[in-house]
Amino acid sequence: MMANVIAWLLVVAIAAYACAGGTDYGAGFWDLLAGGAERGKRPRWLIDHAMAPVWEVNNVWLIFILVIMWTGFPAMFQAVFEALWLPIALAAVGQVLRGAGFALRKPTRRLAQQRVYGAMFAISSLLTPFFLGSVLGGIASGRVAVGTPASADAWANPTSLLAGLLAIAATAFLGAVFLCSDARRFGAEDLIDYFRLRAWIAFAALVILALVALPVTRDDARYVWDGLTGGLGLLMVILAAVCGLATVLLLARRFHGWSRYTSVATVALAVLAWGFAQRPYLLPTSLTVSQAAGASHSMRWLVIVSLVAVVLVGPALVLVYRLDTKGRLEELTDTDTSAAGMPGDNV
């Protein structure tokens, strides 16, 4: 019973990171595609100001995931990091380069250095979710088990590749939806339609990739396929699709505040669908939740610590996100506004 509670805490933490961290990855994705220095000036200005207050906060979820894995399910932790160490290492390097690029780009005055740091940030925002998605794909496909040696097949297989691409599309969708709302919040009316179009494009890509994934998952990850096409897994998939369509309609009606919630629900429900499809296994079809659980006293303390974290850290995170969406964490200065310029300004 306690192991199942911890397992679902792990799934919820993954969903939270996919939504919170995914929004920032998506902003970086659109930063990469914004264009040259002049063409991309306005979108990158918005991305910098929208991300600045909370981009480091989102990594709390990643730390929570790692703590739950190595404390609650050490056998799973060992198997995953042994078989998939390369994509995990590449994702970690991407995290470091992404953070360094974002932190150093804004205060840098030389254009050449800005381009270098901006490229670090943008490219890492593309590669990191891909490698993280490929890790989940490798697990879902059943290629990871206790004692499995590291190999390219564990993460460079059809399910992993599609999972990585789906992760990129999902983050691009989240990033564009949130940037629509941020554009309105910062008074950048010209960027609302700019990011709304990109949100629609990202959702279309997400739908296409999901359709492509159907036959691939059926042939390459049969256990998870069966879970996604029946029971609670199927229900979560349907709800995710409904929330995705609702997001598209809300954007069309310019209800940008509500569209944030439905876009987050889309991604969170997709992660929950994977969790329901994979149960009772942590590593299909070789390691169940009960088999992977750590010592009983460790599990008890992990539950206690998790509850304390929810009580103490949870409200603080909610407050930070709430203040950020209200624009109260970082106000724009006249210098910021003039530096960004407006469409049609001579620079």
Side-chain angles (χ1 to χ4, degrees):
M1 177 63 182
M2 199 167 296
N4 287 325
V5 172
I6 296 297
W8 280 111
L9 277 177
L10 178 60
V11 173
V12 171
I14 293 172
Y17 183 65
C19 296
T23 302
D24 284 351
Y25 289 129
F29 176 85
W30 297 119
D31 188 292
L32 179 65
L33 301 183
E38 289 303 317
R39 180 184 174 188
K41 189 173 185 179
R42 287 282 288 169
R44 292 190 178 104
W45 162 82
L46 178 63
I47 289 167
D48 281 345
H49 284 83
M51 283 183 56
V54 296
W55 69 278
E56 292 178 290
V57 175
N58 294 327
N59 289 323
V60 169
W61 298 110
L62 184 58
I63 296 170
F64 193 40
I65 292 168
L66 293 175
V67 170
I68 292 177
M69 282 183 64
W70 78 54
T71 306
F73 307 105
M76 175 198 180
F77 183 86
Q78 179 183 353
V80 169
F81 275 76
E82 182 176 341
L84 301 168
W85 70 267
L86 182 56
I88 292 172
L90 291 173
V93 171
Q95 284 272 21
V96 174
L97 293 178
R98 180 176 178 274
F102 182 75
L104 296 174
R105 178 175 67 174
K106 190 173 181 180
T108 301
R109 293 292 176 258
R110 295 179 61 183
L111 181 59
Q113 291 182 344
Q114 286 180 348
R115 287 175 173 171
V116 171
Y117 294 137
M120 287 171 51
F121 163 66
I123 294 174
S124 297
S125 296
L126 175 70
L127 295 179
T128 301
F130 173 81
F131 287 123
L132 292 175
S134 70
V135 168
L136 294 182
I139 293 171
S141 67
R143 287 177 168 84
V144 180
V146 176
T148 299
S151 67
D153 181 63
W155 64 277
N157 56 75
T159 301
S160 288
L161 294 177
L162 270 172
L165 293 175
L166 281 167
I168 293 174
T171 59
F173 175 60
L174 284 171
V177 171
F178 272 69
L179 285 168
C180 284
S181 181
D182 291 325
R184 184 180 63 176
R185 174 161 60 95
F186 285 124
E189 299 295 328
D190 57 301
L191 293 178
I192 295 177
D193 289 340
Y194 176 92
F195 282 111
R196 184 171 63 162
L197 174 61
R198 281 150 180 79
W200 288 337
I201 293 173
F203 182 73
L206 196 58
V207 171
I208 292 171
L209 287 170
L211 293 175
V212 172
L214 291 177
V216 172
T217 307
R218 181 188 59 206
D219 297 333
D220 195 55
R222 187 70 193 193
Y223 187 86
V224 171
W225 159 266
D226 290 338
L228 290 174
T229 54
L232 291 175
L234 178 60
L235 176 61
M236 295 297 107
V237 170
I238 293 172
L239 290 176
V242 170
C243 288
L245 291 173
T247 303
V248 171
L249 294 175
L250 288 169
L251 288 174
R253 298 294 300 273
R254 298 184 181 275
F255 294 138
H256 299 109
W258 284 104
S259 66
R260 293 197 308 251
Y261 299 113
T262 53
S263 65
V264 166
T266 302
V267 175
L269 287 167
V271 175
L272 290 176
W274 162 70
F276 279 112
Q278 196 165 287
R279 63 176 184 167
Y281 292 100
L282 287 175
L283 299 176
T285 51
S286 61
L287 189 67
T288 65
V289 171
S290 59
Q291 290 171 342
S296 58
H297 63 277
S298 297
M299 300 298 283
R300 284 195 297 270
W301 277 107
L302 185 56
V303 170
I304 294 172
V305 171
S306 297
L307 290 175
V308 172
V310 168
V311 173
L312 296 182
V313 181
L317 287 174
V318 172
L319 178 61
V320 167
Y321 290 139
R322 183 66 176 171
L323 292 175
D324 179 50
T325 57
K326 293 293 185 180
R328 297 178 182 176
L329 293 184
E330 183 183 54
E331 295 184 1
L332 293 181
T333 65
D334 293 337
T335 302
D336 291 328
T337 306
S338 61
M342 293 296 289
D345 286 351
N346 294 323
V347 293

